Amino acid sequence: MKIYTKTGDKGTTALFGGTRVPKHHIRIESYGTVDELNSHIGLIRDQDTGAHTANILSRIQDRLFTIGSTLATDPEKQKLKNGKDRLNIPKISNEDIELLEKEMDKMNEDLPEMTHFILPGGHQSVSFCHIARCVCRRAERLATALYEIEAFDEAVLQYLNRLSDYLFVLARMLSKRLQAEEVKWIPEKS
């Protein structure tokens, strides 16, 4: 299989279902940002996060491929002529969202209470989490903008929202594990 097709040389790309749209279309921006997020999650997974966290991150990456596929599908072509879904993959489920919530709850049990905003940084692995959190928030903003134009499975929005929270808590957990200082943001007095 060739990687290059030359079909996008004039600034358009095909969605699942064959519809061609400009490469700057909000749908392309949405799933492209999810793809970017997935790469950042891979970078976090490459750190020494422990086996359990690495497994959760792999699961998240799988779910992000599902989200990207959902966003890359033309809503008018979601169903095949035989009535079956074009995408023959599991959808984002309540269990996927609950997994993130349970993981956050478990990590939070061992973390000090937050009394201030925290400046990103302290250790490279922690910074990777914060970068991924920011990319996740951008993916969520783009997906919500797309959702207003062409609705899709609402669980996608819920998952992205919860994932950014998970990445924040993961950053805090890694700070503690790596004995990195969490620097509180205390505004300067004017």
Side-chain angles (χ1 to χ4, degrees):
M1 174 180 162
K2 284 188 176 185
I3 296 296
Y4 60 93
T5 62
K6 301 183 183 181
T7 58
D9 288 353
K10 295 190 178 177
T12 65
T13 192
L15 302 175
F16 288 139
T19 305
R20 293 204 70 81
V21 296
K23 290 187 177 187
H24 61 271
H25 190 281
I26 185 74
R27 183 171 294 285
I28 308 308
E29 287 288 340
S30 294
Y31 75 74
T33 304
V34 169
D35 186 37
E36 180 184 351
L37 172 60
N38 206 333
S39 294
H40 283 290
I41 300 288
L43 188 58
I44 298 167
R45 192 170 48 85
D46 288 342
Q47 306 303 301
D48 183 16
T49 61
H52 177 77
T53 299
N55 286 336
I56 296 298
L57 292 170
S58 289
R59 173 85 177 143
I60 289 168
Q61 288 187 289
D62 176 81
R63 303 291 66 214
L64 289 174
F65 263 97
T66 294
I67 289 172
S69 299
T70 300
L71 296 175
T73 302
D74 182 343
E76 293 179 12
K77 297 185 178 177
Q78 285 180 348
K79 298 283 184 189
L80 299 170
K81 290 180 182 179
N82 63 9
K84 292 185 178 180
D85 287 339
R86 178 170 297 283
L87 296 177
N88 187 20
I89 58 175
K91 296 180 186 217
I92 297 298
S93 67
N94 285 336
E95 290 78 22
D96 295 321
I97 296 164
E98 289 168 3
L99 174 67
L100 295 176
E101 292 171 350
K102 288 175 186 171
E103 289 298 312
M104 282 187 280
D105 291 344
K106 202 180 324 174
M107 288 187 287
N108 262 328
E109 288 175 4
D110 295 328
L111 294 174
E113 183 179 346
M114 268 187 51
T115 57
H116 293 80
F117 286 107
I118 297 169
L119 297 178
H123 188 280
Q124 182 173 332
S125 298
V126 173
S127 295
F128 290 152
C129 290
H130 283 293
I131 291 167
R133 172 186 55 80
C134 292
V135 174
C136 188
R137 287 287 190 209
R138 179 163 31 98
E140 181 185 13
R141 289 190 302 271
L142 289 165
T144 57
L146 175 60
Y147 186 83
E148 287 181 3
I149 299 165
E150 297 175 322
F152 48 83
D153 182 4
E154 202 172 287
V156 166
L157 299 178
Q158 294 168 356
Y159 190 85
L160 289 172
N161 183 268
R162 216 65 87 250
L163 179 56
S164 62
D165 294 335
Y166 169 84
L167 291 166
F168 178 76
V169 178
L170 179 61
R172 293 199 70 218
M173 186 271 294
L174 288 175
S175 284
K176 182 177 180 189
R177 184 186 297 162
L178 297 165
Q179 298 178 344
E181 181 185 3
E182 268 192 349
V183 178
K184 296 175 183 175
W185 177 62
I186 301 172
E188 294 178 6
K189 305 266 188 222
S190 52

